[in-house]
Amino acid sequence: MRILISFLSITVSSFAFASSLQADSYKVQQVAEGIFYHQGSHQEANADNLGAIANVGFIIGEQCIAVIDSGGSFQEGKLLRKTIRQHSDLPICYVINTHVHPDHILGNAAFKTDKPEFVGHEKLPAAMASRQQHFARQFSEILGDAYKGTEFIEAKTLVKVGSPLTLDLGNRPLILTAFTTAHTDHDLTVYDEKTSTLWTGDLLFVERIPALDGSINGWIDALDTLIEHDATMIIPGHGTAFNGENSKGWQDLLRYLTTVREEIRVIINDLGTIEQAIDSVGTQEAEKWKLFEEYHRRNVTAAFVELEWE
Protein backbone atom coordinates (compact mmCIF):
# COMPACT_ATOMS: atom_id res chain seq x y z
CA MET A 1 0.00 0.00 0.00
CA ARG A 2 2.81 2.40 0.86
CA ILE A 3 4.41 1.65 -2.49
CA LEU A 4 1.11 2.39 -4.26
CA ILE A 5 0.67 5.67 -2.35
CA SER A 6 4.22 6.68 -3.17
CA PHE A 7 3.68 5.88 -6.83
CA LEU A 8 0.45 7.90 -6.92
CA SER A 9 2.17 10.81 -5.19
CA ILE A 10 4.97 10.78 -7.74
CA THR A 11 2.45 10.58 -10.59
CA VAL A 12 0.39 13.51 -9.27
CA SER A 13 3.53 15.55 -8.68
CA SER A 14 4.76 14.80 -12.18
CA PHE A 15 1.42 15.82 -13.67
CA ALA A 16 1.40 19.06 -11.69
CA PHE A 17 4.94 19.77 -12.82
CA ALA A 18 4.04 19.08 -16.45
CA SER A 19 1.03 21.39 -16.24
CA SER A 20 3.12 24.09 -14.57
CA LEU A 21 5.82 23.69 -17.21
CA GLN A 22 3.19 24.00 -19.92
CA ALA A 23 1.96 27.28 -18.44
CA ASP A 24 5.47 28.58 -17.88
CA SER A 25 6.41 27.84 -21.48
CA TYR A 26 3.63 30.03 -22.89
CA LYS A 27 5.68 33.06 -23.84
CA VAL A 28 4.91 36.29 -25.66
CA GLN A 29 7.28 38.58 -27.53
CA GLN A 30 7.08 42.36 -27.43
CA VAL A 31 7.55 43.60 -30.99
CA ALA A 32 6.64 47.26 -30.45
CA GLU A 33 5.61 49.50 -27.58
CA GLY A 34 2.62 47.86 -25.90
CA ILE A 35 2.31 45.12 -28.52
CA PHE A 36 2.85 41.46 -27.63
CA TYR A 37 2.26 38.24 -29.54
CA HIS A 38 2.59 34.54 -28.92
CA GLN A 39 4.00 32.72 -31.94
CA GLY A 40 2.09 29.55 -32.69
CA SER A 41 3.89 26.29 -33.38
CA HIS A 42 4.11 24.91 -36.91
CA GLN A 43 2.10 21.81 -36.06
CA GLU A 44 -1.38 20.45 -36.44
CA ALA A 45 -3.57 21.17 -33.42
CA ASN A 46 -3.47 18.47 -30.75
CA ALA A 47 -3.95 17.98 -27.02
CA ASP A 48 -0.26 18.40 -26.28
CA ASN A 49 0.11 21.80 -27.96
CA LEU A 50 -3.34 22.97 -26.76
CA GLY A 51 -4.17 24.01 -30.30
CA ALA A 52 -1.72 26.91 -29.93
CA ILE A 53 -0.66 26.90 -33.57
CA ALA A 54 -1.62 30.45 -34.62
CA ASN A 55 -0.18 33.83 -33.68
CA VAL A 56 -2.30 35.53 -31.04
CA GLY A 57 -1.63 38.50 -28.81
CA PHE A 58 -2.68 41.82 -27.37
CA ILE A 59 -2.25 45.58 -27.54
CA ILE A 60 -2.13 47.74 -24.40
CA GLY A 61 -3.51 51.28 -24.59
CA GLU A 62 -3.74 53.94 -21.88
CA GLN A 63 -7.28 52.95 -20.92
CA CYS A 64 -7.73 49.32 -21.93
CA ILE A 65 -6.46 46.30 -23.84
CA ALA A 66 -7.43 44.63 -27.11
CA VAL A 67 -6.88 40.90 -27.68
CA ILE A 68 -6.05 39.97 -31.27
CA ASP A 69 -7.33 36.40 -31.70
CA SER A 70 -7.88 34.36 -28.56
CA GLY A 71 -6.19 31.05 -29.33
CA GLY A 72 -6.82 27.51 -30.48
CA SER A 73 -8.46 26.19 -27.31
CA PHE A 74 -10.13 27.39 -24.14
CA GLN A 75 -6.94 26.41 -22.32
CA GLU A 76 -4.79 28.58 -24.60
CA GLY A 77 -7.21 31.45 -24.05
CA LYS A 78 -6.70 31.09 -20.29
CA LEU A 79 -2.93 31.10 -20.72
CA LEU A 80 -3.11 34.18 -22.93
CA ARG A 81 -5.28 35.99 -20.40
CA LYS A 82 -2.92 35.05 -17.58
CA THR A 83 -0.01 36.41 -19.61
CA ILE A 84 -1.86 39.66 -20.25
CA ARG A 85 -2.35 40.09 -16.52
CA GLN A 86 1.39 39.72 -16.01
CA HIS A 87 1.85 42.85 -18.15
CA SER A 88 -1.14 45.00 -17.25
CA ASP A 89 -4.22 45.16 -15.02
CA LEU A 90 -6.12 47.46 -17.38
CA PRO A 91 -9.53 46.19 -18.50
CA ILE A 92 -9.73 43.99 -21.58
CA CYS A 93 -12.21 45.95 -23.67
CA TYR A 94 -12.04 44.14 -27.02
CA VAL A 95 -11.49 40.63 -28.33
CA ILE A 96 -10.91 40.91 -32.08
CA ASN A 97 -11.26 37.76 -34.18
CA THR A 98 -9.49 38.06 -37.53
CA HIS A 99 -11.52 35.14 -38.95
CA VAL A 100 -13.36 32.00 -37.91
CA HIS A 101 -10.70 29.28 -38.03
CA PRO A 102 -10.49 27.37 -34.73
CA ASP A 103 -6.84 28.17 -33.99
CA HIS A 104 -7.88 31.84 -33.77
CA ILE A 105 -11.24 31.76 -31.92
CA LEU A 106 -11.54 28.80 -29.56
CA GLY A 107 -10.08 30.79 -26.66
CA ASN A 108 -12.83 33.43 -26.74
CA ALA A 109 -14.70 32.17 -23.68
CA ALA A 110 -11.60 32.62 -21.49
CA PHE A 111 -12.29 36.37 -21.69
CA LYS A 112 -16.03 36.31 -20.92
CA THR A 113 -15.58 37.54 -17.36
CA ASP A 114 -13.88 40.67 -18.70
CA LYS A 115 -17.07 41.52 -20.60
CA PRO A 116 -15.25 42.77 -23.71
CA GLU A 117 -16.78 43.69 -27.02
CA PHE A 118 -16.23 40.82 -29.46
CA VAL A 119 -15.29 42.25 -32.84
CA GLY A 120 -15.08 40.72 -36.31
CA HIS A 121 -15.82 40.96 -40.02
CA GLU A 122 -19.46 41.52 -40.99
CA LYS A 123 -19.56 37.95 -42.35
CA LEU A 124 -17.97 36.36 -39.26
CA PRO A 125 -21.25 35.57 -37.44
CA ALA A 126 -22.58 33.61 -40.42
CA ALA A 127 -19.28 31.79 -40.87
CA MET A 128 -19.25 30.83 -37.19
CA ALA A 129 -22.86 29.67 -37.18
CA SER A 130 -22.36 27.46 -40.22
CA ARG A 131 -19.26 25.76 -38.83
CA GLN A 132 -19.92 25.64 -35.10
CA GLN A 133 -21.24 22.08 -34.92
CA HIS A 134 -18.44 20.70 -37.07
CA PHE A 135 -15.75 22.55 -35.11
CA ALA A 136 -17.23 21.45 -31.78
CA ARG A 137 -17.36 17.81 -32.77
CA GLN A 138 -13.91 17.76 -34.38
CA PHE A 139 -11.94 19.81 -31.88
CA SER A 140 -13.46 18.39 -28.73
CA GLU A 141 -11.91 15.11 -29.89
CA ILE A 142 -8.63 16.61 -31.09
CA LEU A 143 -8.00 18.79 -28.03
CA GLY A 144 -9.51 16.72 -25.24
CA ASP A 145 -9.43 18.51 -21.89
CA ALA A 146 -7.98 21.66 -23.46
CA TYR A 147 -11.29 22.12 -25.30
CA LYS A 148 -13.49 22.03 -22.19
CA GLY A 149 -15.05 25.41 -21.51
CA THR A 150 -15.07 26.43 -25.17
CA GLU A 151 -17.95 28.59 -26.36
CA PHE A 152 -18.63 30.02 -29.80
CA ILE A 153 -19.14 33.68 -29.01
CA GLU A 154 -20.61 35.72 -31.82
CA ALA A 155 -19.06 39.07 -32.62
CA LYS A 156 -21.48 41.94 -32.02
CA THR A 157 -19.26 44.77 -33.28
CA LEU A 158 -18.90 44.16 -37.00
CA VAL A 159 -16.61 45.70 -39.60
CA LYS A 160 -18.04 46.22 -43.06
CA VAL A 161 -16.07 45.86 -46.29
CA GLY A 162 -15.19 49.32 -47.53
CA SER A 163 -15.80 50.94 -44.13
CA PRO A 164 -12.79 50.54 -41.81
CA LEU A 165 -13.60 50.78 -38.11
CA THR A 166 -11.44 52.65 -35.60
CA LEU A 167 -11.28 51.46 -31.99
CA ASP A 168 -9.46 53.57 -29.39
CA LEU A 169 -7.71 51.92 -26.44
CA GLY A 170 -6.82 55.30 -24.96
CA ASN A 171 -4.42 57.35 -27.05
CA ARG A 172 -4.11 54.22 -29.17
CA PRO A 173 -6.33 54.05 -32.26
CA LEU A 174 -6.64 50.71 -34.03
CA ILE A 175 -7.91 50.63 -37.60
CA LEU A 176 -9.79 47.45 -38.51
CA THR A 177 -10.20 46.65 -42.20
CA ALA A 178 -12.55 44.01 -43.62
CA PHE A 179 -11.62 42.31 -46.90
CA THR A 180 -13.64 40.74 -49.66
CA THR A 181 -13.15 36.98 -50.14
CA ALA A 182 -9.47 36.05 -49.93
CA HIS A 183 -8.06 33.53 -47.41
CA THR A 184 -11.69 33.25 -46.23
CA ASP A 185 -14.75 35.34 -47.04
CA HIS A 186 -14.36 37.28 -43.77
CA ASP A 187 -10.71 38.27 -43.23
CA LEU A 188 -9.92 41.22 -40.96
CA THR A 189 -6.67 43.12 -40.39
CA VAL A 190 -5.75 45.32 -37.43
CA TYR A 191 -3.44 48.30 -37.76
CA ASP A 192 -1.99 50.05 -34.71
CA GLU A 193 -1.38 53.67 -35.68
CA LYS A 194 0.84 54.43 -32.69
CA THR A 195 3.57 51.98 -33.66
CA SER A 196 2.63 51.35 -37.31
CA THR A 197 2.15 47.64 -36.60
CA LEU A 198 -0.07 45.53 -38.86
CA TRP A 199 -1.73 42.32 -37.67
CA THR A 200 -2.65 40.45 -40.85
CA GLY A 201 -4.52 37.46 -39.50
CA ASP A 202 -4.22 34.59 -41.96
CA LEU A 203 -4.00 36.87 -44.96
CA LEU A 204 -0.29 36.25 -44.40
CA PHE A 205 1.40 32.92 -43.67
CA VAL A 206 5.16 32.90 -43.08
CA GLU A 207 7.09 29.60 -43.15
CA ARG A 208 3.91 27.52 -42.78
CA ILE A 209 1.98 26.50 -45.90
CA PRO A 210 -1.10 28.69 -46.42
CA ALA A 211 -4.59 27.20 -46.23
CA LEU A 212 -7.02 28.35 -48.91
CA ASP A 213 -10.60 28.62 -47.66
CA GLY A 214 -11.83 31.43 -49.88
CA SER A 215 -10.66 32.64 -53.29
CA ILE A 216 -7.17 32.32 -54.74
CA ASN A 217 -7.87 35.29 -57.02
CA GLY A 218 -9.16 37.37 -54.14
CA TRP A 219 -6.21 36.41 -51.94
CA ILE A 220 -3.69 37.46 -54.57
CA ASP A 221 -5.54 40.76 -54.99
CA ALA A 222 -5.51 41.30 -51.21
CA LEU A 223 -1.78 40.61 -51.05
CA ASP A 224 -1.12 43.11 -53.84
CA THR A 225 -2.84 45.71 -51.64
CA LEU A 226 -1.25 44.69 -48.36
CA ILE A 227 2.28 44.62 -49.73
CA GLU A 228 1.94 48.35 -50.32
CA HIS A 229 0.85 48.99 -46.72
CA ASP A 230 3.31 51.32 -45.00
CA ALA A 231 3.76 49.35 -41.75
CA THR A 232 6.88 49.27 -39.59
CA MET A 233 6.13 45.84 -38.10
CA ILE A 234 4.12 42.94 -39.53
CA ILE A 235 2.57 40.20 -37.38
CA PRO A 236 1.33 37.36 -39.64
CA GLY A 237 -1.31 34.82 -38.73
CA HIS A 238 1.39 32.14 -38.70
CA GLY A 239 5.15 32.48 -38.56
CA THR A 240 7.64 35.02 -37.30
CA ALA A 241 6.82 38.74 -37.08
CA PHE A 242 9.12 40.87 -39.19
CA ASN A 243 10.15 44.42 -40.02
CA GLY A 244 7.91 46.01 -42.62
CA GLU A 245 10.87 46.89 -44.82
CA ASN A 246 11.45 43.18 -45.42
CA SER A 247 9.01 42.01 -48.08
CA LYS A 248 10.16 38.37 -48.21
CA GLY A 249 7.20 37.04 -46.25
CA TRP A 250 4.75 38.73 -48.58
CA GLN A 251 6.67 37.71 -51.70
CA ASP A 252 6.94 34.06 -50.65
CA LEU A 253 3.19 33.75 -50.19
CA LEU A 254 2.46 35.67 -53.37
CA ARG A 255 4.86 33.42 -55.31
CA TYR A 256 3.19 30.28 -54.00
CA LEU A 257 -0.36 31.40 -54.77
CA THR A 258 0.59 32.79 -58.17
CA THR A 259 2.42 29.56 -59.08
CA VAL A 260 -0.60 27.47 -58.12
CA ARG A 261 -2.95 29.70 -60.11
CA GLU A 262 -0.79 29.84 -63.26
CA GLU A 263 -0.13 26.10 -63.36
CA ILE A 264 -3.79 25.24 -62.81
CA ARG A 265 -4.82 27.58 -65.60
CA VAL A 266 -2.46 25.80 -67.99
CA ILE A 267 -4.02 22.44 -67.15
CA ILE A 268 -7.57 23.80 -67.49
CA ASN A 269 -6.74 25.38 -70.86
CA ASP A 270 -5.41 21.99 -72.03
CA LEU A 271 -8.67 20.35 -70.87
CA GLY A 272 -6.83 18.54 -68.11
CA THR A 273 -8.39 17.14 -64.95
CA ILE A 274 -8.34 18.09 -61.30
CA GLU A 275 -6.44 14.85 -60.62
CA GLN A 276 -3.65 16.00 -62.95
CA ALA A 277 -3.52 19.30 -61.12
CA ILE A 278 -3.32 17.68 -57.70
CA ASP A 279 -0.44 15.46 -58.86
CA SER A 280 1.64 18.14 -60.57
CA VAL A 281 0.84 21.71 -59.58
CA GLY A 282 3.28 23.55 -57.36
CA THR A 283 5.41 20.54 -56.46
CA GLN A 284 8.55 22.71 -56.68
CA GLU A 285 7.28 24.54 -53.58
CA ALA A 286 7.43 21.44 -51.36
CA GLU A 287 10.75 22.20 -49.66
CA LYS A 288 9.85 25.84 -49.05
CA TRP A 289 6.92 25.36 -46.66
CA LYS A 290 6.26 23.53 -43.41
CA LEU A 291 3.25 21.16 -43.46
CA PHE A 292 3.27 21.18 -47.27
CA GLU A 293 1.97 17.61 -47.55
CA GLU A 294 -0.89 18.32 -45.17
CA TYR A 295 -2.35 21.31 -47.02
CA HIS A 296 -1.01 21.74 -50.55
CA ARG A 297 -3.32 19.25 -52.27
CA ARG A 298 -6.32 20.83 -50.57
CA ASN A 299 -5.21 24.23 -51.85
CA VAL A 300 -4.88 22.93 -55.38
CA THR A 301 -8.31 21.31 -55.21
CA ALA A 302 -9.98 24.49 -53.94
CA ALA A 303 -8.20 26.66 -56.49
CA PHE A 304 -9.05 24.33 -59.39
CA VAL A 305 -12.75 24.38 -58.53
CA GLU A 306 -12.67 28.19 -58.55
CA LEU A 307 -10.54 28.65 -61.66
CA GLU A 308 -12.34 26.16 -63.92
CA TRP A 309 -15.33 28.53 -63.92
CA GLU A 310 -13.40 31.64 -64.95
Side-chain angles (χ1 to χ4, degrees):
M1 178 65 69
R2 289 181 181 177
I3 294 174
L4 177 59
I5 292 173
S6 297
F7 172 77
L8 290 174
S9 298
I10 292 171
T11 302
V12 170
S13 298
S14 298
F15 177 78
F17 174 75
S19 299
S20 174
L21 182 64
Q22 191 174 61
D24 290 345
S25 65
Y26 192 84
K27 305 297 183 183
V28 294
Q29 305 173 51
Q30 183 170 1
V31 295
E33 179 189 351
I35 295 187
F36 301 81
Y37 88 106
H38 172 78
Q39 185 171 330
S41 61
H42 292 317
Q43 300 174 316
E44 294 279 47
N46 59 56
D48 291 335
N49 62 30
L50 307 180
I53 62 172
N55 293 346
V56 302
F58 53 97
I59 304 173
I60 303 173
E62 292 184 1
Q63 296 176 358
C64 65
I65 298 167
V67 175
I68 314 298
D69 287 332
S70 60
S73 67
F74 180 69
Q75 184 62 33
E76 186 187 6
K78 289 173 61 179
L79 291 176
L80 178 60
R81 187 180 184 278
K82 179 180 178 181
T83 303
I84 291 172
R85 287 293 166 240
Q86 292 170 352
H87 289 85
S88 173
D89 59 2
L90 287 172
I92 297 170
C93 51
Y94 300 106
V95 173
I96 301 169
N97 291 146
T98 62
H99 63 292
V100 80
H101 288 162
D103 47 333
H104 296 262
I105 67 160
L106 293 186
N108 280 358
F111 298 92
K112 276 184 65 177
T113 57
D114 298 291
K115 299 181 179 179
E117 288 184 40
F118 286 86
V119 185
H121 191 288
E122 61 181 326
K123 291 187 176 181
L124 177 62
M128 186 176 290
S130 68
R131 303 181 188 204
Q132 178 176 335
Q133 288 187 344
H134 171 67
F135 285 167
R137 182 173 60 253
Q138 182 180 25
F139 284 89
S140 60
E141 295 178 1
I142 289 172
L143 298 172
D145 288 344
Y147 181 86
K148 293 178 180 178
T150 296
E151 296 180 39
F152 292 87
I153 301 176
E154 182 178 315
K156 299 299 184 182
T157 301
L158 303 178
V159 186
K160 296 182 178 181
V161 174
S163 300
L165 174 67
T166 299
L167 305 176
D168 193 355
L169 308 183
N171 195 30
R172 186 143 220 172
L174 308 180
I175 301 175
L176 279 59
T177 302
F179 284 74
T180 55
T181 305
H183 161 62
T184 67
D185 71 352
H186 53 276
D187 297 298
L188 190 71
T189 61
V190 181
Y191 178 67
D192 174 57
E193 283 193 332
K194 185 173 184 178
T195 63
S196 187
T197 298
L198 178 66
W199 298 71
T200 70
D202 277 4
L203 285 171
L204 179 60
F205 284 66
V206 175
E207 301 140 11
R208 179 188 175 114
I209 189 78
L212 178 59
D213 190 23
S215 162
I216 193 166
N217 287 330
W219 200 346
I220 290 171
D221 289 344
L223 288 173
D224 286 337
T225 299
L226 285 166
I227 287 173
E228 300 302 320
H229 200 294
D230 186 22
T232 300
M233 179 62 64
I234 310 293
I235 303 175
H238 295 267
T240 307
F242 58 93
N243 188 292
E245 294 180 358
N246 179 5
S247 66
K248 185 178 185 302
W250 297 113
Q251 296 298 339
D252 285 348
L253 179 56
L254 189 58
R255 183 199 66 242
Y256 171 80
L257 294 175
T258 302
T259 297
V260 169
R261 182 171 70 175
E262 289 177 351
E263 294 186 5
I264 287 176
R265 281 175 171 168
V266 169
I267 291 173
I268 291 173
N269 289 338
D270 289 341
L271 303 180
T273 66
I274 193 170
E275 289 77 16
Q276 288 175 303
I278 291 170
D279 288 341
S280 64
V281 166
T283 55
Q284 68 272 33
E285 292 281 325
E287 300 303 318
K288 300 171 183 176
W289 299 96
K290 297 182 185 300
L291 299 180
F292 182 88
E293 292 299 326
E294 287 80 356
Y295 287 91
H296 175 67
R297 289 177 177 81
R298 300 184 207 176
N299 292 340
V300 173
T301 300
F304 190 98
V305 172
E306 174 187 353
L307 296 172
E308 69 178 338
W309 293 104
E310 285 186 316

